[in-house]
Structures are given as C-alpha cells and as structure tokens.
Amino acid sequence: MNRLTLLLALLVGIVIGVSSTWWLIGRGHRDMPAASPAPTEKKILYWYDPMVPAQHFDQPGKSPFMDMELVPKYASDGPADADTVRIEPRLVQNLGVRTALATRGTQVASVRATGTVTFDERGVVVVQARVAGIVEHLAVRTPLTTVTAGQPLLTLIAPEWTAAQAEYLSLRTARSEGLDAVRAAARQRLLLLGMSEGQIRAVERLGRAEDRFTIVAPRAGVVSELLVRDGASVTAGSQLLRINDLDTVWVNVAIPEAQTGRVAPGNAVTLELPGFPGESLAGTVDTLLPGLDVTTRTQSARIVVPNPTRRLVPGMFARVAVTGRAADAEIVQIPTEAVIATGARQVVIVDAGDGRFRAQEVRVGHESDGRTAVLDGVAEGDRIVLSGQFLIDSEASLAGTLARLDASDTSPAPSTPSRYSADGTVKRIDGSTWSIATDAIPALEMGEMTMTFVRPETVPVDGLRVGQRVRFTFVRNADDAFEIATIAALPAGATP
C-alpha cells in the first residue's frame, strides 16, 4: 500500500512539472517582443574606378588604372531625379571636393593685365640745325644720356650765322636815319636762324661776330636719339638729337578683347613693378588705342603715370589693375574656378545635399577678382562645387546627366563624337581591351595616366606589342567607353 501511494505521487509530480514547463514557455513567447526583420543589404551592380568610370569589374580589388581601390556601384545609387547624380560621401571627402555659396553683390569692373613702360611721346623735343654747318664738337656722345635744361649739347660752325651777325652789327653801329626798322629786322633774323636771346646779347656786348655756337638742351630729359657725330656736315632742318621727358611715362597695356568694354579713359590704375617689390604706383587710363592685335586679340590701353623721381624707365615690365566703376545693380556671383567651359556653353556643379549633385547650365557675365557674375542658372545661396568636378562629371556621364543638357526638346539628330589625339606606351593587350600609359592630353585637361581603351577589330594594329610607343586617336563611344579610332607605332627615339 505504501509502495502504490508513492508511485501515484511520483506520477502526479511529473505531470504537474511538465504542465508548468509548457505554461512558462508559452507565456515567455507571448511576453517576448517580435523580432525585427534583418536589414536589407544594398545590391552591388559592379565595381569601378571613378577616374575610368566606363570600365566595370565583377569583383572588388585594386584598380588597374590608378593606385586606389575599386568603388562599388549600388543599385540604389541612381539619381533621385533626371538631373541629379549621387556620389558616396566617403569619395567626396577623400577626393577633397570643395564648395562655396553663390552670393549676391555689386561687381567692380576691374581688369588685370600686363604692360610695358615707354616714353611719354608728348614730352619729346627735337633739336635741329636751322642753318647749314659742321659739327665741331659733341658734348653728349651716347644715346640715353640724361641732360638738364641749358646743358651744352654740341658746338656748330655755321657761316650763315656769322654773316647774319656781321650784318646786324654793321646796322647797329650805323648812324643813318630810318635804320631802326632794318636793325630790328636783322635782329629778328638771328632769332629765326636759331640763335637765343642770350647769344644775341653776347654778340652785342662783344661787338664782333662769333663763328662757333653752342647748342644747349631746351629741356631736361634723356637723349633718346643721337643723329650726328663730330665732323658731320648738316643742312638746314637736319635733326641733331631727340630728347624725351621722364617726368611722366606711358605704360602700354594689352587688354584682352573680351575685357575691353570694362576699360575707359579716366579709369584709375594701380601698377606693380618687379623692380620695386611691395610698392604700388597710381596712374590713369589716357586712351584706348584704335586698333586690335589680330594675333593676340588684345587692344592697347595707354596709361599715364607720374614719374617725379624718374625711377621708371622705358622697357620695364608692369602688372596693371584697372579699376572701373562699380555696377549699379547687385548680381549673383560665384568663384570663377567653379565654371566649366564646355565650348558651346558654361556649366557648374550644384551640391544638392546628401551626396547629390546636379550639373547646371549657366549664362555668365564679367569676371573680376576671381569671381564671375552669373546672369542665369544659379540663385543666391546655391552651393557650388569648386574642385573635384572630374569625379562628378564621371558620375554624371554614367547617369547621362550632362548628355541630357545637350539634348533639346525636339531630339535633334546625333552629332559625330569628338575625336582626341594622344601619344603613349602600350602597357597591356587583352583581346580588344588595351591599356595605354598616355602622355598629357590638353584637350581633355588630363595629365599623364594609364587608361583603358577598346580596340574594334576594324582598326589595324600592324604588329603593335606591349612596351611600344604609339600615336593614336580615340572617341567616347555609345557605351561611354574610350574607343581607339586609329593607332600606329611612333618612330624609334621619339620623345613625349
């Protein structure tokens, strides 16, 4: 009986324990919060080099073109709208993309150019012989000699002067009536022949005719031309010397054709000369010369600069800043380095925030002090990209953003792709894929780099091999890849 009771108690305990366990498990499941679904991972479409975005790779790794890791392209990286591209914030930071705000303000029509110091031609004096004679002695023997007013220049033997003096002295000593007018005419003749009042008074004081006369400098300056030598015979009207004044000088400045509208007579000018570092001189625009250099496409502006210390001499180089009148109305301005000139139009990259960028066509005005006026396309407060446009342009090319800028509403016929020329060294040939270390390509504003090209079977290679220097042309094909159009080996010894 005791054994049966013990067995029944044991069975009841087991049943109670199992029931309690299942009750606790059920309660625990009811009290636990529902598990959150696992986050969905971004789908990677391919890997690519931002500098060569047309080449796609199936696996991550080192770029064969640049010393950098390949970057993943995610399916969710598509643009939020038709005119926007998205770039990983990590890439934006690593590549040092700089931005600045578009601001509104008045723009001063200033022009920076270079010029050369020349003589002020308004201060030129020509010393000439008014009678025939012989140069007996030159006191100034070399050009560019500095002279002062009244300084002896040369001694001249002039028989006509001697005869005119003798005639005047005879009339001066004559006592006949009615000779006053004749004497006055004889004295006036001496003045017309080039004798000064001082020389005539000396003849009157000495009472005899002089056969040698000294010609003096009529003003201070520099002897820019010396046209006679000792013993030279001169005729009436012959030029002997040319003296240029240095109290003021001209600076002839080459103004680019696109900026001539900002320069007008009377504009203030600031000059800096390498010979006087840290100093600036003031001048004034005298005139714009009526002529355009067809080679340099510049127009000369004449700047008048006071030169009281005579430190400025012809031939000096000058950096010139012409300050015009400030514009009456305020206008949106951006740093000039942000503008991308594509030839047919100007484009800027607008930072739309959250890693999104938009290529925006703009209509620009004048540029002044590193800032360009924007007439249309950008509003005040827009954040504009200043550097790193190459990366953004690559991304935009993948998304077709810049291509849409070139498209019109009427969908015109496709144009022929631009063809570029370059020299380089073949690095690798993998079927139709060629890797070439190119020299700088100015047309694309690219320095030396290794690029991948597609060679169609229709392009002959004539036994080209790895390591050979080649000259080739290429285009960007419909797949946005660089495609070789022609290629040929460079002669042995050809240098980049």
Side-chain angles (χ1 to χ4, degrees), residues 331-334 339 362-366 372-378:
I331 195 169
V332 176
Q333 303 176 59
I334 62 174
V339 180
V362 294
R363 187 164 59 93
V364 300
H366 289 310
T372 296
V374 180
L375 306 179
D376 188 28
V378 171

Side-chain angles (χ1 to χ4, degrees), residues 126-129 225-228 234-242:
V126 175
V127 180
Q128 63 182 138
E225 288 185 279
L226 182 59
L227 304 174
V228 294
V234 297
T235 59
S238 298
Q239 292 189 14
L240 307 177
L241 303 96
R242 181 185 175 97

Side-chain angles (χ1 to χ4, degrees), residues 322-394:
V322 182
T323 303
R325 184 175 61 87
D328 296 331
E330 294 186 344
I331 195 169
V332 176
Q333 303 176 59
I334 62 174
T336 302
E337 61 182 313
V339 180
I340 305 172
T342 65
R345 54 178 56 85
Q346 285 79 34
V347 176
V348 298
I349 305 297
V350 179
D351 184 354
D354 194 25
R356 294 177 295 113
F357 297 88
R358 183 179 75 256
Q360 176 65 50
E361 180 182 347
V362 294
R363 187 164 59 93
V364 300
H366 289 310
E367 184 271 337
S368 177
D369 294 330
R371 296 187 68 80
T372 296
V374 180
L375 306 179
D376 188 28
V378 171
E380 180 183 5
D382 286 349
R383 185 165 293 278
I384 310 300
V385 176
L386 305 183
S387 64
Q389 292 101 319
F390 181 82
L391 167 66
I392 300 172
D393 183 25
S394 300

Side-chain angles (χ1 to χ4, degrees), residues 20-34:
S20 300
T21 301
W22 280 106
W23 180 83
L24 289 174
I25 291 175
R27 180 179 179 83
H29 275 288
R30 289 194 299 272
D31 293 341
M32 290 177 61

Side-chain angles (χ1 to χ4, degrees), residues 166-379:
E167 179 183 351
Y168 170 65
L169 290 175
S170 298
L171 292 171
R172 191 168 184 270
T173 57
R175 293 290 180 262
S176 301
E177 295 183 1
L179 294 179
D180 292 343
V182 178
R183 279 194 293 268
R187 194 176 193 280
Q188 182 65 26
R189 182 187 176 197
L190 293 179
L191 292 173
L192 294 176
L193 289 176
M195 293 184 65
S196 65
E197 281 285 350
Q199 290 173 328
I200 294 175
R201 285 194 295 269
V203 170
E204 292 173 346
R205 185 174 63 254
L206 295 174
R208 66 174 185 273
E210 294 287 341
D211 56 359
R212 291 171 174 79
F213 293 93
T214 300
I215 297 178
V216 298
R219 68 173 304 163
V222 175
V223 178
S224 57
E225 288 185 279
L226 182 59
L227 304 174
V228 294
R229 292 295 176 184
D230 286 342
S233 297
V234 297
T235 59
S238 298
Q239 292 189 14
L240 307 177
L241 303 96
R242 181 185 175 97
I243 300 176
N244 286 81
D245 180 29
L246 277 179
D247 292 336
T248 60
V249 293
W250 287 347
V251 178
N252 291 329
V253 181
I255 306 296
E257 181 180 8
Q259 299 179 342
T260 54
R262 310 186 202 178
V263 180
N267 285 156
V269 177
T270 302
L271 302 96
E272 295 179 352
L273 291 91
F276 312 109
E279 298 185 33
S280 60
L281 303 175
T284 306
V285 176
D286 181 65
T287 184
L288 275 172
L289 302 185
L292 191 74
D293 190 315
V294 297
T295 302
T296 61
R297 308 305 303 174
T298 58
Q299 185 175 3
S300 292
R302 179 180 296 160
I303 313 298
V304 177
V305 182
N307 187 31
T309 60
R310 300 187 177 181
R311 294 191 302 170
L312 306 185
V313 295
M316 280 186 169
F317 176 81
R319 292 184 293 271
V320 180
V322 182
T323 303
R325 184 175 61 87
D328 296 331
E330 294 186 344
I331 195 169
V332 176
Q333 303 176 59
I334 62 174
T336 302
E337 61 182 313
V339 180
I340 305 172
T342 65
R345 54 178 56 85
Q346 285 79 34
V347 176
V348 298
I349 305 297
V350 179
D351 184 354
D354 194 25
R356 294 177 295 113
F357 297 88
R358 183 179 75 256
Q360 176 65 50
E361 180 182 347
V362 294
R363 187 164 59 93
V364 300
H366 289 310
E367 184 271 337
S368 177
D369 294 330
R371 296 187 68 80
T372 296
V374 180
L375 306 179
D376 188 28
V378 171

